[in-house]
Every structure is written in C-alpha cells, then in structure tokens.
Amino acid sequence: MSEAAVRVIGLWPSPFVIRVLIALKLKGVEFEFVEEVVGRKSELLLRSNPVHKKIPVLLHHGKPISESLIVVQYIDEVWSSGAPAFLPVDAHARAVQRFWAQYVDDKLPWAIRILKGTDDGGMEQAAGQLSAALQLLEEAFAQLSQGKRYFGGDSVGYLDIALVSHVGWVKAVEKIAGVTLLDKAKVPNLVAWADRLCAHPAVVDAIPDADKFVEFSVTYGSFSKPINAPAK
C-alpha cells in the first residue's frame, strides 16, 4: 500500500497536534494519523524533525513541516480553495490574529502543565495567570468576532484553531486542580464559543471529553512533559 499524500505525526492529547488535525478537517483534506508511542520518539519523527525532535510534524508528499502554527498556515495556503481561509485578507487583521495565537501559546501551556502537576510551580499563581489570560481573550473575542460566532467571524479562523486546541486540557485541569477557569460569570462569550466550536464537525472528534485527558494525565504523568510540550 502506498503512503498517504498527507500524514500527521503526533499523539492525540497534544494541543499542538489537535490544531493540525482540526485545520486539515476544516479544509476537507484526507490524511493519515501516525501516532507516536508515549515516552518514545519514532525514527520517522526523528528523521522528519531533526532540529526539535518533537510533534507535530505534517508530511506532505514526504516533505516535513513542523511547528504547529506554521503548519496551520501552510494548510491554509496549500488548500486555499473549497473552504474559507483561516486568516483574513487584510494585513493588519492577519497580524492581530497571529498576535493573539502567539499569546495563547505563551500563556496557556505553562499554566496548564503546572495545574496538572507536570511542572513544578505555584498552583494558585498558575490558575491566576490562566484566568487572566482567558479574561483578555474574552475581551479579544468581543472585538474580533464583531458579534459573530467565531474569532474568525462567520467561519472558524486561525485564532479559533489555536485556542480551541487547548480547551480539552483547560477543562481537564479544572477537574485535576479543582479550579474554575471557563467561568460563565467571568467569560460568558468564551464559554459559549468553546461549547459551540467543540461541537463543530471538524473539531468534535479531535477533542474528546475532559475525562479522557484526565485519564491520560494520571496514566502517563511521568511522560506528559515531553509529549505535551512539543514544538509549537
């Protein structure tokens, strides 16, 4: 059997892998998911990403692309017909989306790792930072969505993909650490957005129930740091 034209090397709980899967599904691209074994790095991964040696990696006709936000942009550019663009046409609007996507990756993963016990640090400080980040994203949603369903407006966009990929772990650490982060009283628009987007056909299978993330954290806690802190 010949190899699929599009392959994704990854592991399902990684938010950085999740966003690549969502992007491909939104574009209607058929792909093969090559799942890594927890705690190991396959020869294919090491060969495909020799610099960072981390997931995710997109293989398109055998050519590797790494760093998840770069991969999402690549998918948007290559499969530009048949589905709405992830990034807006206006240069300033594109820059704003990229700014907030980078903000998400700067603020959320560190706090999530502490709250699920992977990294050392103060739980209260991590919860406070995550809550503050979500509050700013609530305000950003009001500005960027312009009263529509998504950060991208009428259709799922770049920032939607970047942020929703972390929602599974946000909900999981609420259970693990006993904190409330997606609080309807504080971030009502973000809570509604998360519920809406997680039910989207391109997203629903990529982000399982929070209990599955909790189970993974309990089972593979000692391996969570290298697996869930991959190259972005």
Side-chain angles (χ1 to χ4, degrees):
M1 181 180 289
S2 60
E3 289 185 356
V6 179
R7 308 170 79 194
V8 179
I9 306 171
L11 192 63
W12 73 263
S14 165
F16 307 112
V17 172
I18 287 170
R19 63 177 51 151
V20 172
L21 304 183
I22 290 171
L24 288 168
K25 290 178 180 181
L26 284 167
K27 292 291 188 177
V29 178
E30 293 186 4
F31 63 92
E32 176 189 355
F33 184 45
V34 184
E35 190 154 28
E36 290 287 290
V37 175
V38 178
R40 301 180 188 174
K41 296 184 180 184
S42 67
E43 287 299 319
L44 178 62
L45 172 61
L46 296 174
R47 185 170 66 250
S48 302
N49 189 0
V51 176
H52 294 299
K53 303 178 176 64
K54 294 177 181 178
I55 56 175
V57 178
L58 177 75
L59 295 171
H60 187 202
H61 295 299
K63 296 180 180 179
I65 306 98
S66 57
E67 301 292 320
S68 66
L69 290 178
I70 293 174
V71 174
V72 170
Q73 291 179 68
Y74 177 86
I75 292 167
D76 196 27
E77 293 170 2
V78 172
W79 291 280
S80 58
S81 61
F86 299 150
L87 283 162
V89 174
D90 179 76
H92 179 264
R94 286 200 306 274
V96 170
Q97 293 267 328
R98 288 173 175 140
F99 168 85
W100 282 111
Q102 189 59 57
Y103 177 83
V104 166
D105 283 355
D106 287 344
K107 297 297 183 181
L108 270 63
W110 169 84
I112 288 170
R113 289 196 299 270
I114 289 176
L115 289 171
K116 68 189 180 77
T118 304
D119 286 4
D120 295 330
M123 291 277 193
E124 186 175 345
Q125 180 186 1
Q129 174 173 303
L130 194 45
S131 293
L134 292 174
Q135 185 63 60
L136 284 176
L137 287 162
E138 168 83 2
E139 296 170 10
F141 181 82
Q143 295 174 359
L144 298 179
S145 69
Q146 297 182 338
K148 297 179 181 178
R149 295 168 60 84
Y150 304 112
F151 282 96
D154 290 320
S155 60
V156 179
Y158 182 73
L159 179 53
D160 294 290
I161 296 167
L163 180 56
V164 79
S165 65
H166 292 287
V167 166
W169 277 113
V170 170
K171 292 182 177 180
V173 298
E174 286 184 317
K175 296 188 173 189
I176 294 169
V179 296
T180 301
L181 299 166
L182 286 169
D183 188 340
K184 289 182 180 179
K186 295 180 179 179
V187 288
N189 291 320
L190 213 56
V191 171
W193 163 87
D195 290 344
R196 183 164 54 246
L197 188 46
C198 285
H200 191 288
V203 179
V204 65
D205 292 333
I207 305 178
D209 185 79
D211 287 339
K212 190 171 181 181
F213 288 92
V214 173
E215 181 183 356
F216 180 89
S217 185
V218 171
T219 305
Y220 298 109
S222 61
F223 294 110
S224 292
K225 186 172 182 177
I227 292 297
N228 291 306
K232 301 173 185 176

